[in-house]
Amino acid sequence: MYNSLCYNGDFHQVAEDTHWYPFMKIAIEYLREHHPPPLQPNDDDGQKLLVFLLAIASHQIADAAWHGNLTGCPNGFIDATAWESFNDNEDAAHSSDDTGGDCVMDYELPIGYMASIDNCSVPSNELKEIYERYAVAYNSSIENNVTTTLIQTCTSILLVGKLADALFLGLEYPTYSSNNSFLLDQLHEYYYGGLSNMVRLAVQYWDQIIAMYEYGTDICTLTGINPYYLNCNISNNFTHQQQQELTSYVQSAPSGYLPFADNTLSLVPSFSLIEIQTGLISNQSYAAFGHATLFGDFNGDGLTDLVVSAPDYYVLGCVQGGRVFIIYGQVGCSLVPQLKISVIEELANQTLISPECDGDRFGSALACLDWNNDGYNDLVIGSPSHGPNFRGAVFVFLGSAQGLQSLPYMRIYGVNEHDRIGCKLYTADLNNDTRRDLIITSPYAQPNGYNQPQQGAVWIFLNSGQNISNNELTVANASFTIWGETAKSKFGYSLEMIPPSCINNVNYPTLMISAPADQGKLFVYSFQPEPHLLLTLMGQDENDHFGQSFSIYKNTCRLAVGSPTRSINWVGGVDVLSLPNLFNQPNTSLQISDISARLSISGNKVFGRLGTTVQWKPNGDLCISAPLGKRNIQPLQLQKSVGRAYIVSANRISPQPYLVAQDISNLSPKVYIAQNQMNRFGSGANILSSTSVSYYVISSPFTTVCTTVRLPGMLYFLLL
């Protein structure tokens, strides 16, 4: 009813009133009266009305999170877009995000089914009566003028508009992608108002609506009209054991299949493109499977175990609870079956879930160390959305001869709102006692509330090697805390230890930490034993996101740094630097232009984001991913974006500086791709190495393999 085509927009206020909880309360009470619970299988009208109300609820709660200020938090998606893409201009960010968000979704996601006329049902007669009740309850006369004809006319216009969006709006993808890098990068993942967060909030709201339908609206209380603040007395009677059990909510695909592709690559020249045909996939839709990966030995048998997380995995009674899968190594068996796509639910020997499941995205980060010094490796798992207002949590699961324990030995919690601890996890020996210490980072942490958003922090817990009597800690108990330099810098986004051999005259453990927002910056701290800033290295241009990824090859002291939004149309780039040369500079506050790069690599695909991940192979080859990319920027070009992974041979990296940037296509004779387009292949990557095997593991979060499993996420394994 916003659209001027619908009665000249005269009923805009009706649409606005429908946005908020008072309308929903009236509608639920109407539903209870005319279709008493429990809802009967043959009550088609009641079912249609309930489903329609759930759809309205999705929009209500998503709108609140999209506009962060509607929830009292200036960290919403539009707020963050203003910081990162529009120089703090909220109006420009709002305008770009509202239409651009639909555009990116229509271009990338398989949502055409949403515009199917056959599946559309609008309970216009019931809605008319609900609006009449609303008019009386809230003294709003305009709702009395709503007729069934008006409802049918306006919803028909909206349906036609949605169908047009599904068919054509995606063609404007280049327009919005070229001026709003944050939208393209974070629409799906951003923790507060991104699509993933909207899903979590919507399903929680659905649970509240269904509970109110069953037990009455009195079980919930609300101050104001925003459903974000709705509090309901709903008990969850599921035990941890019930939640632990794997439940298939979708039809499982057979383990021998290969993904089909609606948009195959048959028209793309095949001489340089190699499809990776070994992988793992989940049988649950929207699971974000493959978000984090790890090799370790958790039962002390000397064999390598594989750990893979799915932080959006639905756990019984807990949306986006997350699940972590473990495949234990066996003599004579490959961890991952070769030349086939296998279903993780059929292969995993064990799964772990959060002990306090509340939609905390358990499994967002993984790390391995022997925390209690018993000789068995322990698994550390991050849950950055755990607890009230995204404080976050980290859980340590002990290893044993029988494998990992099902409940955590130690829990570490965030303290401040939006700490989001557990976004990233690392281990390193920072006090030279041979024991690996735990490093927790969050690029979203804010030390003094909302006036310093996303400053970022690194918390270091030194490993004493002894059992800790207090098994519940907070980041306030950290041995050291390092805060970012400025607000909105996302300090702690990436981290890695620098070998002492790469730094002249420094014998202390040393960390490199990135803050990639805007221009991007790297920080180097030594531990003497307190953290001491040694130097900083700034990116070249605004919005380069220098340091969003980086990797150190210890054998030759080479540093590879990704700048995925460098250059016009964000083709991206990677710089390879010599660490000894970096530390031999006369200044300690450096610009990338001050350093002679051993190699500068440029992407060649529009929006490609070369350098989203960079990883060194054990032999010194450099692996680089570019999860997006088109051949050109023409909006009517039907060629879709294709994620790519490249491997640059070590012998192409000169010991002497290159004077000009090299095109990635001239350096990597082989280009690795997934078997589908539009799956952001290369959004995440890792090198998993053991004494017996090494894999280049590449995630593909938007892979869809069959009609019953939508976007479960997939991992591709390239044997090195």
Side-chain angles (χ1 to χ4, degrees):
M1 297 183 190
Y2 284 103
N3 198 310
S4 60
L5 295 175
C6 178
Y7 292 84
N8 298 315
D10 292 341
F11 292 89
H12 169 91
Q13 187 58 47
V14 175
E16 185 64 31
D17 292 340
T18 310
H19 265 69
W20 304 108
Y21 174 70
F23 170 85
M24 185 61 65
K25 183 175 184 292
I26 296 291
I28 294 169
E29 291 168 350
Y30 175 91
L31 179 66
R32 283 175 53 81
E33 179 181 330
H34 289 266
H35 307 275
L39 198 57
Q40 299 302 310
N42 60 351
D43 186 357
D44 290 343
D45 290 341
Q47 292 179 30
K48 290 178 180 179
L49 178 56
L50 177 58
V51 170
F52 191 85
L53 293 179
L54 294 179
I56 291 176
S58 300
H59 184 84
Q60 287 181 343
I61 200 70
D63 208 38
W66 187 248
H67 303 79
N69 57 355
L70 294 180
T71 64
C73 170
N75 274 7
F77 192 91
I78 292 175
D79 304 299
T81 302
W83 306 334
E84 296 209 15
S85 294
F86 292 97
N87 296 316
D88 289 330
N89 187 327
E90 288 271 347
D91 291 338
H94 192 175
S95 176
S96 178
D97 281 348
D98 274 0
T99 305
D102 287 342
C103 170
V104 173
M105 284 191 295
D106 288 342
Y107 182 76
E108 292 193 337
L109 301 181
I111 61 173
Y113 69 91
M114 295 172 62
S116 173
I117 296 176
D118 293 339
N119 295 328
C120 181
S121 176
V122 179
S124 53
N125 291 324
E126 290 91 339
L127 287 174
K128 177 181 179 297
E129 294 184 36
I130 292 170
Y131 281 125
E132 289 173 350
R133 294 188 178 199
Y134 183 95
V136 173
Y138 295 98
N139 193 27
S140 178
S141 60
I142 191 171
E143 270 78 12
N144 280 322
N145 298 324
V146 174
T147 65
T148 56
T149 300
L150 183 148
I151 294 171
Q152 292 167 357
T153 300
C154 291
T155 52
S156 296
I157 292 172
L158 289 173
L159 178 61
V160 171
K162 183 57 192 174
L163 180 60
D165 284 354
L167 292 174
F168 302 113
L169 184 59
L171 299 177
E172 287 299 308
Y173 175 86
T175 301
Y176 292 95
S177 299
S178 60
N179 68 3
N180 191 343
S181 64
F182 183 80
L183 174 69
L184 197 57
D185 289 339
Q186 294 292 318
L187 176 63
H188 306 278
E189 275 285 311
Y190 188 65
Y191 78 99
Y192 201 70
L195 294 184
S196 179
N197 176 243
M198 287 182 182
V199 169
R200 174 191 175 187
L201 293 173
V203 175
Q204 288 175 339
Y205 191 22
W206 289 357
D207 288 342
Q208 293 171 327
I209 289 171
I210 292 171
M212 284 188 286
Y213 166 66
E214 292 177 340
Y215 304 111
T217 56
D218 291 342
I219 67 170
C220 297
T221 59
L222 176 68
T223 301
I225 63 174
N226 190 339
Y228 183 84
Y229 295 107
L230 189 65
N231 292 309
C232 299
N233 183 19
I234 303 174
S235 60
N236 183 344
N237 297 319
F238 299 118
T239 66
H240 184 81
Q241 180 60 40
Q242 288 174 318
Q243 292 180 322
Q244 180 74 50
E245 294 175 0
L246 273 175
T247 304
S248 179
Y249 298 94
V250 293
Q251 180 181 350
S252 176
S255 59
Y257 71 85
L258 289 176
F260 73 83
D262 292 327
N263 302 299
T264 65
L265 294 170
S266 58
L267 299 180
V268 180
S270 60
F271 62 88
S272 64
L273 298 178
I274 301 173
E275 292 182 352
I276 304 175
Q277 297 189 348
T278 298
L280 293 174
I281 198 165
S282 171
N283 70 5
Q284 188 181 113
S285 297
Y286 309 108
F289 175 74
H291 187 86
T293 57
L294 184 71
F295 265 2
D297 177 9
F298 300 101
N299 55 6
D301 62 359
L303 301 174
T304 300
D305 308 321
L306 172 64
V307 185
V308 184
S309 74
D312 288 350
Y313 205 96
Y314 180 81
V315 175
L316 192 62
C318 180
V319 63
Q320 289 182 357
R323 191 178 290 272
V324 172
F325 299 85
I326 301 97
I327 300 176
Y328 288 103
Q330 301 180 39
V331 176
C333 295
S334 172
L335 282 170
V336 182
Q338 294 296 301
L339 300 179
K340 65 187 297 186
I341 307 301
S342 302
V343 178
I344 187 63
E345 285 85 353
E346 299 174 2
L347 288 182
N349 304 110
Q350 182 182 6
T351 70
L352 298 173
I353 62 171
S354 171
E356 306 160 354
C357 190
D358 66 350
D360 44 4
R361 303 202 76 217
F362 177 82
S364 291
L366 304 171
C368 173
L369 80 170
D370 182 4
W371 183 257
N372 62 344
N373 201 32
D374 65 351
Y376 292 98
N377 286 322
D378 308 319
L379 179 62
V380 189
I381 302 177
S383 295
S385 294
H386 181 85
N389 297 316
F390 304 100
R391 284 172 169 81
V394 170
F395 303 101
V396 179
F397 292 80
L398 295 184
S400 69
Q402 291 74 41
L404 290 162
Q405 297 181 4
S406 61
L407 291 173
Y409 166 77
M410 189 176 72
R411 310 172 190 213
I412 304 173
Y413 298 104
V415 173
N416 298 320
E417 293 183 2
H418 300 268
D419 268 353
R420 297 205 77 229
I421 76 164
C423 284
K424 304 286 181 72
L425 296 170
Y426 305 89
T427 62
D429 179 8
L430 296 178
N431 57 356
N432 287 329
D433 66 353
T434 72
R435 289 187 291 266
R436 300 185 73 81
D437 306 307
L438 177 60
I439 306 170
I440 302 171
T441 79
S442 171
Y444 303 100
Q446 40 201 42
N448 296 308
Y450 293 140
N451 62 332
Q452 289 183 276
Q454 300 188 10
Q455 185 164 333
V458 174
W459 297 277
I460 296 165
F461 289 80
L462 296 180
N463 185 353
S464 66
Q466 300 175 354
N467 287 327
I468 297 176
S469 58
N470 183 3
N471 290 341
E472 288 195 9
L473 305 174
T474 73
V475 290
N477 301 117
S479 307
F480 305 111
T481 300
I482 308 173
W483 287 101
E485 186 178 50
T486 59
K488 308 172 187 176
S489 64
K490 293 190 174 179
F491 178 77
Y493 195 92
S494 297
L495 181 150
E496 192 165 341
M497 192 169 184
I498 302 175
S501 59
C502 296
I503 311 174
N504 294 333
N505 302 318
V506 174
N507 296 318
Y508 303 105
T510 306
L511 288 180
M512 178 173 283
I513 306 170
S514 75
D518 194 20
Q519 194 167 344
K521 195 172 186 179
L522 296 176
F523 297 79
V524 178
Y525 285 87
S526 66
F527 289 77
Q528 315 177 7
E530 300 282 337
H532 171 73
L533 182 63
L534 285 183
L535 65 79
T536 61
L537 178 62
M538 179 77 78
Q540 182 171 330
D541 297 315
E542 289 185 5
N543 208 39
D544 271 3
H545 292 177
F546 176 77
Q548 182 166 315
S549 64
F550 70 86
S551 183
I552 296 171
Y553 186 54
K554 297 173 176 56
N555 291 2
T556 57
C557 296
R558 287 173 173 168
L559 168 67
V561 187
S563 299
T565 49
R566 174 181 292 172
S567 189
I568 187 171
N569 295 327
W570 301 328
V571 297
V574 176
D575 296 299
V576 180
L577 310 173
S578 165
L579 282 173
N581 182 36
L582 180 66
F583 288 103
N584 283 334
Q585 299 299 313
N587 299 319
T588 57
S589 297
L590 303 171
Q591 300 271 343
I592 184 64
S593 56
D594 299 330
I595 309 299
S596 298
R598 292 295 179 261
L599 179 64
S600 287
I601 307 171
S602 175
N604 59 9
K605 302 296 180 185
V606 174
F607 314 133
R609 284 162 168 70
L610 185 80
T612 294
T613 69
V614 292
Q615 302 281 341
W616 292 100
K617 288 172 55 179
N619 68 351
D621 293 347
L622 181 60
C623 301
I624 308 171
S625 73
L628 296 167
K630 292 164 61 71
R631 285 194 293 269
N632 56 52
I633 198 171
Q634 297 300 318
L636 294 179
Q637 173 71 27
L638 296 180
Q639 174 250 343
K640 296 284 191 176
S641 293
V642 179
R644 292 168 169 82
Y646 305 87
I647 298 181
V648 178
S649 174
N651 60 25
R652 302 300 302 270
I653 303 174
S654 170
Q656 301 301 320
Y658 271 84
L659 297 180
V660 294
Q662 303 293 304
D663 190 295
I664 184 63
S665 62
N666 297 327
L667 296 172
S668 178
K670 296 179 180 179
V671 181
Y672 296 92
I673 58 173
Q675 294 173 317
N676 307 74
Q677 295 187 39
M678 297 312 304
N679 53 22
R680 296 206 175 198
F681 171 78
S683 292
N686 200 1
I687 298 291
L688 298 181
S689 294
S690 69
T691 56
S692 59
V693 66
S694 291
Y695 288 105
Y696 181 27
V697 183
I698 309 166
S699 70
S700 182
F702 294 162
T703 290
T704 292
V705 298
C706 59
T707 56
T708 57
V709 186
R710 293 184 181 276
L711 311 180
M714 183 170 175
L715 274 181
Y716 288 91
F717 288 75
L718 178 62
L719 186 63
L720 301 178

